[in-house]
Amino acid sequence: MSALTELYEEIANCERCILSQARTNTVPGEGPEGAEIVFIGEGPGFHEDQQGRPFVGQAGRLLEELLEGIGLTREDVYICNVIKCRAPRNRDPQPEEIEACKPHLDRQIELIGPRMIVTLGRFSMERYFPGAKISHIHGQPRKMGGIIYYPMYHPAAALHQRRWLQVIEEDMAKIPQVLAEGDGIADMEVLQDPKQLSLF
Ligand code: URA
């Protein structure tokens, strides 16, 4: 059994927060173990909870279309969420739930070892760009510890308000170039101060 499969088992048995009580399935994430890009969303919705797979509803279909736009399929990338269990009525994840799930996400990233992490929405952005505003930093890559972090709006935003679609499409379209530039991307170590983060 691979270390990632072991982690999925650990997540399936996890009772670290109250979300474990009402879930149908845990939704650890899926994709190739050596994926170059990891997409991190917010948390499972109804369909994800039913199927135990991330991004299988409407937002997932849009994510697949966006990936297609840059010549990728969902099988080429790793897709997961900040929290691995559905929150009741899809409410926002609570800080203690995000904190309880943090070791799972951290271990997942460690095992996959991606070159690039794309955060989808403010909850996954907050994890890597604390205190930043998504409207200020979306579409701007930063590097830390050899990984490129790239914040984007959540695809669900475009489902609620069509005007976000163009922004999301433009940010997604930049991903191949960001990956190609790799080494030339500014390091985030100098931008640890949240006040500075909100400036770029
Ligand atoms: N939205 C998310 O953030 N994650 C999913 O898995 C599905 C919808």
Side-chain angles (χ1 to χ4, degrees):
M1 196 193 299
S2 76
L4 201 54
T5 314
E6 266 176 43
L7 177 65
Y8 295 164
E9 276 201 7
E10 205 180 297
I11 293 172
N13 294 315
C14 178
E15 293 183 349
R16 296 175 60 119
C17 80
I18 54 157
L19 298 183
S20 62
Q21 293 170 12
R23 72 182 174 220
T24 313
N25 289 293
T26 50
V27 184
E30 64 184 26
E33 302 212 357
E36 195 172 35
I37 314 177
V38 172
F39 285 83
I40 309 177
E42 181 178 320
F46 174 81
H47 297 285
E48 289 78 19
D49 171 71
Q50 291 292 307
Q51 297 182 36
R53 298 182 58 210
F55 282 94
V56 289
Q58 257 190 310
R61 268 194 297 281
L62 179 54
L63 179 60
E64 285 171 18
E65 281 175 31
L66 290 162
L67 285 170
E68 220 174 275
I70 55 168
L72 296 174
T73 67
R74 65 180 289 147
E75 286 78 24
D76 295 320
V77 300
Y78 193 90
I79 304 174
C80 63
N81 286 299
V82 169
I83 56 167
K84 313 299 188 198
C85 298
R86 184 185 181 212
R89 297 174 304 282
N90 298 342
R91 65 153 168 72
D92 286 350
Q94 300 301 295
E96 63 274 19
E97 293 157 1
I98 294 173
E99 195 54 32
C101 226
K102 186 172 174 287
H104 296 320
L105 181 61
D106 287 347
R107 179 91 180 115
Q108 206 160 25
I109 301 298
E110 187 187 321
L111 293 173
I112 297 162
R115 280 190 64 212
M116 181 174 192
I117 292 180
V118 181
T119 61
L120 299 173
R122 62 194 169 94
F123 289 97
S124 57
M125 177 201 67
E126 179 65 23
R127 178 74 190 67
Y128 302 102
F129 300 87
K133 279 203 166 139
I134 197 161
S135 55
H136 290 176
I137 70 163
H138 73 92
Q140 297 177 58
R142 285 292 181 275
K143 224 165 57 206
M144 193 168 52
I147 299 179
I148 302 163
Y149 294 86
Y150 188 68
M152 283 182 54
Y153 282 98
H154 196 290
L159 299 174
H160 298 308
Q161 283 190 41
R162 244 16 221 181
R163 72 193 165 101
W164 293 116
L165 185 58
Q166 196 184 343
V167 178
I168 295 172
E169 281 175 342
E170 284 171 7
D171 287 349
M172 184 67 103
K174 286 199 273 175
I175 288 180
Q177 191 193 333
V178 169
L179 265 178
E181 276 172 7
D183 292 342
I185 291 165
D187 232 286
M188 202 156 56
E189 268 89 2
V190 292
L191 290 164
Q192 288 290 312
D193 178 356
K195 286 197 282 304
Q196 287 192 41
L197 270 173
S198 61
L199 294 177
F200 76 87

